[in-house]
Amino acid sequence: MSRRQVGGSTRRGGDSGSFPFVGALHSKSRSSPLLSICLVLVGACLLIGYAFSGPGLFKTIREVSKITGDYSCTSEVQRAIPVLKNAYGDSMRKVLHVGPETCSVVSTLLKEEETEAWGVEPYDVEDADSNCKSLLRKGLVRVADIKFPLPYRSKSFSVVIVSDALDYLSPKYLNKTVPELARVASDGVVLFAGNPGKQKAKAAELSKVGRPAKMRSSSWWTRFFSQTNLEENEAGSKKFEKAASKMSYKPACQVFHLKPLH
């Protein structure tokens, strides 16, 4: 994925109407080298000040950073693991996590007693740490494009958890990907999605994906589930809410519970 570059236009240093200090350098050939250096430094300071105060390059960079923001439902998953275990009980013994930074989620799950965990990373892991590389070598984590069928048999996992991945997909691919998640689950799917108006795309993921995340409302997801013949897991949702209330857990992301597709 390519990064979007923010570039500004440059002016020729010889334009007499642009930089008066540079013109002064050329007007008097007898000026001392020290004076010339001082004038160049002063001119550079003025340019930097203009860039930050006016509609210059640096202001554009700040605006882009402000737009992209920073959020992660994957970190939210790690906070929610005790709640999920309380709500789903024995079903949390064989879990698949799908989403960026899945190595961190899998590592956390593997620390839980009697829990097996696998992960699917939708993007490249060139900058993976030693722990993530170890999980990749063992086959516990694999890199796969989730726009295509998952490399697992039906009912391979009891619970499938997905975070920070579906927000970047268009409805065209969501129509295929979400049913795939439900296909490989035997007990249910837990979907963590961003909150519109409250969260913004994580800058690191934006650079990988090449486009901003699409934060969809709860009503949008409800319509989507209905249109794709996916049933919401009301029993799982109620157990999750009860466990969350008991453990004083308030999710920052939207959490949806779906029945497996069988």
Side-chain angles (χ1 to χ4, degrees):
M1 298 293 178
S2 61
R3 293 175 180 266
R4 177 179 295 180
Q5 296 182 345
V6 181
S9 60
T10 57
R11 298 184 181 181
R12 295 176 56 188
D15 291 346
S16 60
S18 302
F19 306 106
F21 291 105
V22 177
L25 284 175
H26 295 287
S27 63
K28 295 184 178 182
S29 59
R30 293 179 298 175
S31 298
S32 66
L34 180 59
L35 176 61
S36 300
I37 293 173
C38 290
L39 289 173
V40 171
L41 291 175
V42 172
C45 291
L46 289 175
L47 284 174
I48 293 173
Y50 170 78
F52 275 102
S53 61
L57 171 62
F58 299 108
K59 183 178 180 181
T60 304
I61 292 175
R62 291 200 306 272
E63 288 175 347
V64 170
S65 177
K66 183 178 179 181
I67 291 172
T68 56
D70 193 12
Y71 94 98
S72 173
C73 284
T74 295
S75 59
E76 185 71 20
V77 170
Q78 297 186 67
R79 283 207 313 130
I81 286 176
V83 182
L84 289 167
K85 287 182 69 69
N86 189 300
Y88 282 86
D90 291 343
S91 294
M92 285 291 290
R93 290 186 177 182
K94 195 172 185 180
V95 182
L96 172 70
H97 174 261
V98 178
E101 301 178 22
T102 190
C103 289
S104 60
V105 177
V106 171
S107 297
T108 302
L109 285 168
L110 291 175
K111 294 176 183 178
E112 299 289 328
E113 293 184 4
E114 301 180 351
T115 300
E116 296 179 274
W118 291 263
V120 172
E121 168 63 59
Y123 313 116
D124 66 85
V125 288
E126 294 179 357
D127 56 347
D129 56 23
S130 58
N131 176 61
C132 191
K133 289 179 180 178
S134 175
L135 293 173
L136 286 164
R137 284 193 301 268
K138 295 175 181 177
L140 295 176
V141 171
R142 63 173 65 189
V143 179
D145 191 338
I146 61 173
K147 294 193 294 292
F148 299 97
L150 295 173
Y152 303 107
R153 296 179 179 178
S154 297
K155 302 182 182 181
S156 293
F157 310 95
S158 52
V159 173
V160 174
I161 303 171
V162 58
S163 61
D164 289 340
L166 303 183
D167 292 331
Y168 292 95
L169 296 182
S170 66
K172 172 184 176 182
Y173 293 111
L174 284 174
N175 290 336
K176 301 176 182 178
T177 301
V178 181
E180 266 296 291
L181 298 172
R183 179 186 66 81
V184 300
S186 63
D187 294 341
V189 176
V190 184
L191 191 160
F192 286 75
N195 265 314
K198 296 182 180 179
Q199 295 167 320
K200 297 178 181 179
K202 192 175 181 181
E205 301 307 328
L206 180 65
S207 66
K208 290 182 180 181
V209 183
R211 60 180 178 275
K214 178 70 173 180
M215 304 300 174
R216 301 173 172 97
S217 66
S218 175
S219 59
W220 188 96
W221 281 109
T222 299
R223 289 194 303 271
F224 171 78
F225 298 145
S226 177
Q227 292 168 0
T228 50
N229 297 318
L230 293 168
E231 292 186 62
E232 293 194 58
N233 186 349
E234 294 183 6
S237 180
K238 290 179 180 179
K239 289 180 180 179
F240 181 83
E241 290 176 2
K242 183 178 180 180
S245 177
K246 182 179 179 181
M247 303 175 76
S248 300
Y249 166 76
K250 294 182 179 180
C253 299
Q254 298 184 90
V255 184
F256 302 95
H257 303 262
L258 301 175
K259 291 182 179 180
L261 189 64
H262 304 307

